[in-house]
Amino acid sequence: MRTVCLLSVKLLLCISLCAQTTFDVHFNGTRLRMDFALSGNAVKQSAALMQLREEPLWGGPRENLIDPFEYGGYLLKMYDKASGELIYSRGFNTLFEEWRTTEQAQTETQAWTNSIVMPFPHLPATVVLFARNRSTNDMDTLMTLEFDPSSIFIDRSRLKENPAADIQIHGVPAGKVDLAFIAEGYIASEKDKFFADAKRFTDSLFAIPPYDRRRKDFNVRAVFLESGESGTDFSGKGIFKNTALNSGFYTFGTDRYLTTPDMKSIRDAVWNIPCDAIFVLVNSEVYGGGGMYNFYAIGTADNERTIQVFVHEFGHSFAGLADEYFSSETSYNDFYNIRFEPWEPNITTLVDFDRKWKDLLPVGTPVPTPSEAPYSDKVGVFEGGGYLAKGIYRPMDHCMMRDLKPFCPVCSRAILRMIDFLSDSKSP
C-alpha cells in the first residue's frame, strides 16, 4: 500500500512538473494583449490588428492552456511557429457580434474596437482569430498574425496605475480565478463608496450557490477609475455623462441593456492586474446590465435587484450561460440558428442534445418536457429560451438565467466546470 501511495505521489508530481515545463517552454510569464478592430454588417465581417502590448503578468492558468469548451462566437488559437503545435486557445464573445444581429446592421457597416489577452510566447508564434459562421456553424478564419516576440512594434509602456484594493486573496493568480471589479461613473469623492460596493458584491456572490462552496478558489480585486460625472448615459432620454468607460443604457435601443463598446479602456484599467473575469460596476440605481462570455459583465450598484442582475450577467461572462427567457423585449433578429446546436451549455435545439444535459434528466422525463407537475420543478427540456419561444429549450422552468431565480443544476455544473478549469481546485 505504501508503494502504491509513493507511486501516486510521484505521478502527480510528474504531471505538475510537466505542465509547468510546458508553460515555461512556450511562455515567459507576462501577458500579450491584442487590440483589434472588427468591422462589417449583418452579412459579413473582417478583423484588423490595431496594437500589440506586453503587460506585466499572465495571471491565467498555466496548466489549462487549451480551451476544452470552445464557447463563444470567436476563438483565438496560438501555434508555435516552428513546430505548428497548438500552445494556447480561448473562446470569447464581443458586443460587435450581437450588433450584427440587429436591424441597424442590415443597412450599416461599422467598425468596433476589441481586445483580448493571452500568455506572451518566448518564440515566434502564429495567432489565428476564428469567427463562428451563423450560416454553417463552422469556425471561419478571420485574421492570421505572425507574431515575433522581439518586434520593436510591440508596446511595452507602463500605463496609469489606478488605485486598487485586494478584497480577498486566496493564492497565486495562476491557481485561482481572478475577478476584477472596475469602477464606472464614480467621481473622486465616491472612491470609498466604490470599494464598499465591490466588497458588498463579493460577499453577495459567495452567498449564492454554487459559488458559496468555492469562495477560496477566487481572488477578488477592485480597481478605481475616476469619472468626470456620476452615473452613466441614457441615450434614449438624451442624458450623457462624462465617465471613464463610456457606458450607457439603451444598447441597440433596449432601455435596460447597459454596456460599453470601449473594451480598450477596460483593458487599460487592468493592465497591471491579473484578471480571468471582469465586472464593470456602474454607479447608478437603475435596473439593468449586460454580459459577454470571456469579455466582461456590467451592472449597476444600487438597484433593489442589483445583486441578482450581477450574478445573472456574470453567468454570461464567466460560464458562457445563455439567456433562458423568451418573451422579453430584445433588439436581435434570429440570434440563434435553430438548425444547429447552440454552443451555450444551458440551451439546446435538440440537434445534439446528447452532449448537453441529457445525463441529468430524471428517469422517465419526456423530451420535450411539459411545464407542469410533476416536471416543472425538476431538470427537463422546456421549450422557450435564447429569446425564442419555439425551437430552443432550457433545462428548468425557472432559473437565474431566465427570471433571477436560483441556478438550476445544469447552470451550476457549467459554473463549477469553469471554476475547475481556471483554478487549481476541483469541485466535490
Side-chain angles (χ1 to χ4, degrees):
M1 183 66 178
R2 181 173 179 273
T3 301
V4 173
C5 290
L6 287 173
L7 288 174
S8 298
V9 170
K10 289 180 179 179
L11 178 60
L12 290 172
L13 180 60
C14 179
I15 292 173
S16 176
L17 290 174
C18 287
Q20 184 64 37
T21 301
T22 299
F23 182 88
D24 291 341
V25 165
H26 296 294
F27 303 108
N28 67 5
T30 63
R31 184 166 66 198
L32 173 62
R33 174 176 137 191
M34 183 174 77
D35 296 337
F36 61 100
L38 290 172
S39 63
N41 49 47
V43 178
K44 60 182 179 180
Q45 67 176 321
S46 60
L49 177 67
M50 299 181 70
Q51 176 184 241
L52 295 174
R53 277 185 50 81
E54 183 175 15
E55 297 181 336
L57 175 66
W58 169 250
R62 296 189 172 209
E63 294 186 16
N64 297 327
L65 297 172
I66 308 303
D67 187 348
F69 308 109
E70 295 196 349
Y71 294 163
Y74 299 89
L75 179 64
L76 181 97
K77 291 188 175 183
M78 181 188 291
Y79 302 88
D80 178 75
K81 187 172 183 180
S83 66
E85 177 189 357
L86 177 65
I87 56 176
Y88 179 81
S89 68
R90 284 296 185 274
F92 62 100
N93 280 352
T94 70
L95 193 57
F96 176 77
E97 174 190 9
E98 295 184 18
W99 175 80
R100 293 186 66 220
T101 68
T102 66
E103 288 286 350
Q104 192 178 35
Q106 299 286 338
T107 58
E108 293 184 15
T109 296
Q110 295 190 5
W112 296 46
T113 301
N114 298 272
S115 183
I116 191 169
V117 297
M118 63 205 89
F120 196 101
H122 280 304
L123 301 173
T126 301
V127 178
V128 184
L129 177 64
F130 299 89
R132 195 177 300 273
N133 188 314
R134 288 173 51 81
S135 298
T136 66
N137 209 38
D138 295 329
M139 282 292 190
D140 297 338
T141 301
L142 198 59
M143 180 175 68
T144 301
L145 171 69
E146 298 300 333
F147 176 75
D148 177 2
S150 65
S151 172
I152 63 171
F153 301 111
I154 299 172
D155 184 357
R156 295 178 168 88
S157 63
R158 297 182 65 83
L159 301 179
K160 178 183 178 181
E161 296 190 17
N162 299 294
D166 292 341
I167 296 178
Q168 65 171 50
I169 302 298
H170 286 297
V172 297
K176 302 297 175 182
V177 180
D178 289 281
L179 168 61
F181 287 98
I182 306 178
E184 167 67 341
Y186 291 79
I187 60 175
S189 61
E190 295 170 319
K191 181 168 68 173
D192 290 344
K193 177 185 185 303
F194 164 68
F195 287 125
D197 287 343
K199 177 65 164 60
R200 172 168 54 93
F201 271 55
T202 299
D203 291 340
S204 298
L205 177 67
F206 295 114
I208 295 173
Y211 296 103
D212 58 342
R213 50 192 166 113
R214 303 301 296 273
R215 182 165 191 158
K216 291 186 177 179
D217 292 315
F218 282 76
N219 295 331
V220 183
R221 300 171 178 86
V223 180
F224 180 72
L225 300 185
E226 180 181 334
S227 289
E229 296 179 275
S230 292
T232 187
D233 294 349
F234 293 84
S235 60
K237 298 180 179 180
I239 298 171
F240 296 91
K241 297 294 185 73
N242 174 18
T243 61
L245 298 176
N246 304 300
S247 67
F249 284 92
Y250 288 89
T251 302
F252 310 142
T254 301
D255 59 354
R256 71 181 183 280
Y257 195 10
L258 171 64
T259 67
T260 173
D262 193 358
M263 189 63 188
K264 183 177 183 298
S265 292
I266 290 176
R267 278 292 168 193
D268 283 350
V270 294
W271 71 277
N272 59 342
I273 301 292
C275 54
D276 299 303
I278 293 170
F279 191 86
V280 177
L281 191 50
V282 180
N283 188 23
S284 171
E285 60 185 25
V286 178
Y287 178 90
M292 289 139 283
Y293 174 62
N294 210 10
F295 214 53
Y296 70 81
I298 185 171
T300 57
D302 297 315
N303 186 267
E304 62 182 6
R305 305 193 76 186
T306 276
I307 298 303
Q308 293 94 327
V309 173
F310 158 52
V311 177
H312 171 97
E313 301 299 351
F314 192 61
H316 291 311
S317 66
F318 178 68
L321 300 176
D323 281 319
E324 295 178 10
Y325 53 81
F326 49 90
S327 58
S328 299
E329 176 198 357
T330 67
S331 300
Y332 306 130
N333 294 322
D334 299 327
F335 193 80
Y336 292 98
N337 186 334
I338 62 173
R339 294 189 297 114
F340 305 112
E341 186 65 37
W343 56 262
E344 293 92 336
N346 63 317
I347 58 173
T348 181
T349 55
L350 299 180
V351 172
D352 188 10
F353 180 55
D354 284 358
R355 68 181 179 90
K356 288 300 178 72
W357 63 90
K358 187 176 182 179
D359 61 312
L360 296 181
L361 293 181
V363 175
T365 302
V367 178
T369 309
S371 298
E372 58 189 36
Y375 309 111
S376 56
D377 61 347
K378 298 180 176 63
V379 175
V381 185
F382 300 95
E383 191 163 28
Y387 323 118
L388 294 175
K390 299 291 183 182
I392 291 185
Y393 302 83
R394 64 191 186 280
M396 283 194 73
D397 202 11
H398 299 280
C399 175
M400 181 67 70
M401 302 313 294
R402 180 189 177 189
D403 47 14
L404 306 184
K405 299 298 195 303
F407 282 112
C408 72
V410 173
C411 291
S412 294
R413 180 170 70 175
I415 291 167
L416 293 173
R417 283 175 171 173
M418 193 61 66
I419 295 172
D420 288 343
F421 178 70
L422 292 171
S423 72
D424 59 5
S425 299
K426 303 303 177 187
S427 59

